């Protein structure tokens, strides 16, 4: 796959192809439609033309090898390579673990991985042997430095049995406050919050007189992250804070829902998606576009902030944030100020496109207008909060200044 194609998510490519086919009649020729849409997507016209041809091959309108079959052949070749490698690992392991035990000791498996990691790699060997990669690396770290545990971890390890002892010795009725006071009487210095945290981790608590009072009953299937933004949407660099929200547009054929993902540094829209359904999938598609565009890593410390809509608190959305190394954050219920930046972008979108150019006939019309607006907003619209320059220019200036500082250093 070329570098140009790899820049764009599958959803963006599919959307671009569909808009070429849907809007072909509005241009003098297909090539004119491709040229117009390619400029707004950010790819070359030849690249978009290749996508269109590939889509026609997949749909049977053009001769050629369909993508599904090509991918299946690649997958079979990859599986064959992995099976050959797994058989080779098992052959070596059977000679290495010659004592016939059902599960060799962890130390022995670690030694085997060390001996063969250069030939096969750690991850493939761990998939064959009954050991997790994290266990292997943890053993290596402990071998290198037995005292590698943090001070807090060592204090917790020493305090846990004392907390359990005090709780057990007092008929298991002591709560945090009394356990903490008893430990202090015995000469153990620990913060009350530490005792509370460890008792919670150990799943022990004091007796409660009467029926416990519960002010809320959370939905365990949709855990709610904390608000890590606290209405502070100014950040010193890109890829530190993304805000997300969606809005709706009335058309003659029903509602169209439009989701945006915005980088808070320059207000640049890094992902968007239009849909006729308000299910989780369409906000997830907008997130996927942003992830493909920015390639975040856990080391960046990127925070994703949204309201408490069910789409953003869904298991699929939360899991995707975790996979991308992004920290989730949500505002309070019914408070637009807690997601003010995303609300502002939605307001601009409504004022500059939807209200001004409506009424809207169809989903396709809204989607194409949104494509045009996002392209204009990111690359040409002047924004006062960032110095009356376009978002793309603001980000380019940041990286140019960063390179200058690095060269000076």
């Amino acid at each position: 796959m070329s570098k140009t194609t790899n820049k764009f998510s599958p959803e963006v490519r599919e959307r671009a192809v569909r808009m070429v086919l849907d809007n072909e009649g509005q241009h003098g020729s297909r090539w004119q439609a491709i040229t117009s849409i390619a400029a707004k997507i950010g790819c070359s016209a030849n690249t978009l033309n290749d996508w269109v041809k590939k889509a026609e091959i997949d749909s049977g309108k053009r001769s050629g090898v369909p993508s599904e079959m090509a991918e299946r052949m690649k997958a079979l070749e990859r599986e064959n390579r992995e099976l050959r490698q797994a058989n080779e690992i098992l052959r070596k392991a059977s000679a290495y673990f010659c004592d016939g035990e059902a599960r060799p000791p962890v130390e022995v498996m670690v030694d085997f991985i060390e001996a063969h990691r250069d030939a096969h790699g750690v991850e493939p060997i761990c998939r064959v042997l009954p050991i997790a990669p994290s266990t292997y690396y943890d053993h290596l770290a402990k071998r290198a430095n037995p005292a590698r545990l943090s001070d807090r971890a060592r204090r917790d390890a020493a305090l846990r049995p004392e907390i359990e002892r005090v709780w057990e010795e007092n008929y298991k009725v002591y709560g945090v406050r009394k356990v903490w006071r008893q430990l202090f009487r015995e000469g153990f210095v620990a913060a009350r919050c530490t005792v509370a945290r460890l008792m919670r981790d150990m799943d022990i608590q004091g007796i409660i007189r009467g029926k416990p009072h519960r002010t809320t009953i959370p939905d365990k299937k949709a855990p709610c992250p904390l608000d890590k933004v606290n209405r502070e949407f100014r950040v010193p660099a890109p890829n530190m804070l993304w805000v997300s929200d969606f809005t709706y547009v009335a058309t003659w054929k029903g509602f169209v829902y439009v989701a945006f993902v915005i980088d808070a540094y320059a207000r640049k829209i890094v992902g968007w998606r239009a849909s006729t359904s308000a299910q989780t999938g369409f906000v997830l598609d907008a997130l996927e576009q942003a992830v493909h565009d920015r390639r975040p890593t856990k080391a960046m410390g990127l925070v994703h902030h949204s309201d408490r809509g069910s789409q953003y608190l869904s298991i699929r959305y939360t899991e995707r944030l975790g996979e991308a190394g992004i920290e989730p954050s949500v505002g309070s219920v019914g408070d637009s100020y807690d997601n003010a930046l995303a609300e502002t972008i939605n307001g601009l979108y409504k004022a500059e496109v939807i209200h001004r150019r409506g009424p809207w006939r169809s989903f396709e019309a809204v989607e194409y207008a949104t494509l045009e607006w996002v392209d204009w907003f990111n690359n040409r619209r002047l924004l006062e909060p960032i110095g009356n320059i376009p978002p793309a220019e603001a980000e380019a200036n940041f990286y140019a200044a960063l390179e200058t500082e690095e060269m000076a250093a």
Side-chain angles (χ1 to χ4, degrees), residues 259-263 266-273 289-290 293-294 345 349 370 373-375 377-378 391 395:
F260 296 107
V261 181
I262 305 105
D263 190 301
R267 277 68 168 169
K268 185 176 182 181
I269 298 172
V270 293
W272 69 275
R273 176 72 160 91
Q289 181 181 352
D293 182 60
R294 294 303 175 100
I345 301 300
Y349 169 68
T370 306
W373 180 78
V374 171
D375 173 67
F377 182 91
N378 283 341
E395 289 196 352

Side-chain angles (χ1 to χ4, degrees), residues 375-390:
D375 173 67
W376 170 76
F377 182 91
N378 283 341
N379 298 291
R380 293 177 293 281
R381 191 192 192 283
L382 304 182
L383 290 181
E384 183 177 355
I386 59 174
N388 291 304
I389 59 177

Side-chain angles (χ1 to χ4, degrees), residues 62-81:
R62 183 188 292 263
S63 62
V65 179
S67 301
E68 183 178 358
M69 183 177 297
E71 290 297 326
R72 191 177 303 169
M73 293 172 62
K74 290 181 181 178
L76 289 174
E77 292 175 357
R78 183 171 58 252
E79 289 175 5
N80 286 334
R81 288 195 302 270

Side-chain angles (χ1 to χ4, degrees), residues 30 49 52-66:
R30 170 177 289 189
N49 189 38
V52 173
K53 289 180 179 178
K54 186 176 181 181
E56 290 180 333
I57 290 173
D58 292 343
S59 63
K61 296 179 180 179
R62 183 188 292 263
S63 62
V65 179

Side-chain angles (χ1 to χ4, degrees), residues 85-358:
Q85 184 181 53
N87 288 334
E88 180 66 14
I89 293 172
L90 286 173
R91 184 184 64 79
K92 294 179 179 179
S94 62
Y96 196 92
F97 308 133
C98 55
D99 53 6
E101 291 184 9
R103 188 181 191 278
V106 174
E107 292 292 337
V108 177
M109 288 191 288
V110 170
D111 291 338
F112 176 81
I113 296 172
E114 277 290 276
H116 298 89
R117 61 179 298 175
D118 292 336
H120 302 290
V122 174
E123 300 290 336
I125 298 176
C126 289
R127 282 197 296 268
V128 176
L129 300 182
I131 183 174
S134 58
T135 303
Y136 164 75
Y137 289 117
D138 185 61
H139 271 70
L140 288 187
K142 289 179 179 178
R143 285 180 180 181
N145 183 14
R148 60 184 293 269
L149 293 175
S150 65
D151 293 340
R152 169 173 161 167
R154 287 196 292 269
R155 288 195 300 269
D156 287 354
L159 200 56
R160 285 175 186 271
E162 300 301 333
I163 291 175
E164 187 170 9
R165 175 185 58 80
V166 169
W167 187 67
E168 292 276 357
E169 288 178 352
N170 291 280
Y171 301 99
K172 302 181 180 180
V173 300
Y174 274 7
V176 172
R177 180 170 58 88
K178 286 189 170 63
V179 170
W180 172 63
R181 290 189 178 277
Q182 180 60 35
L183 288 171
F184 184 80
R185 285 168 59 86
E186 296 179 10
F188 293 96
V189 179
R192 177 172 171 172
C193 60
T194 300
V195 175
R197 173 175 57 81
L198 293 177
M199 289 183 67
R200 186 166 55 250
D201 292 344
M202 298 162 66
D203 197 23
I204 60 176
Q205 63 179 357
I207 196 70
I208 300 175
R209 289 181 295 177
K211 186 176 181 179
H213 178 63
R214 301 179 67 189
T215 56
T216 59
I217 302 177
D219 183 3
K220 295 183 178 179
K221 295 182 178 179
C224 186
L226 299 175
D227 184 352
K228 299 180 177 67
V229 176
N230 197 25
R231 302 185 182 180
E232 181 53 59
F233 297 102
R234 293 186 178 273
V235 291
N239 298 322
M240 293 186 65
L241 172 63
W242 290 353
V243 295
S244 295
D245 200 2
F246 70 89
T247 186
Y248 63 90
V249 179
T251 73
W252 292 1
K253 297 181 180 180
F255 285 105
V256 174
Y257 302 90
V258 183
F260 296 107
V261 181
I262 305 105
D263 190 301
Y265 173 76
R267 277 68 168 169
K268 185 176 182 181
I269 298 172
V270 293
W272 69 275
R273 176 72 160 91
S275 173
T276 56
S277 170
Q279 299 298 319
T280 301
F282 92 105
V283 297
L284 190 58
D285 287 340
L287 175 65
E288 288 289 357
Q289 181 181 352
V291 169
H292 273 80
D293 182 60
R294 294 303 175 100
R295 311 283 179 172
T297 62
K298 192 172 183 62
M300 290 182 180
L302 174 60
V303 174
H304 173 282
H305 186 75
S306 68
D307 59 23
R308 298 199 177 201
S310 60
Q311 295 88 348
Y312 294 109
L313 296 181
S314 68
I315 294 176
R316 289 172 57 201
Y317 201 91
T318 304
E319 287 179 345
R320 186 65 186 102
L321 289 175
E323 291 171 359
I326 304 172
E327 289 290 329
S329 169
V330 298
S332 57
V333 177
D335 193 342
S336 61
Y337 293 102
D338 279 358
N339 201 19
L341 178 55
E343 296 281 354
T344 299
I345 301 300
N346 280 347
L348 292 174
Y349 169 68
K350 285 291 192 71
E352 295 174 350
V353 182
I354 302 306
H355 298 328
R356 185 172 64 87
R357 295 170 56 180

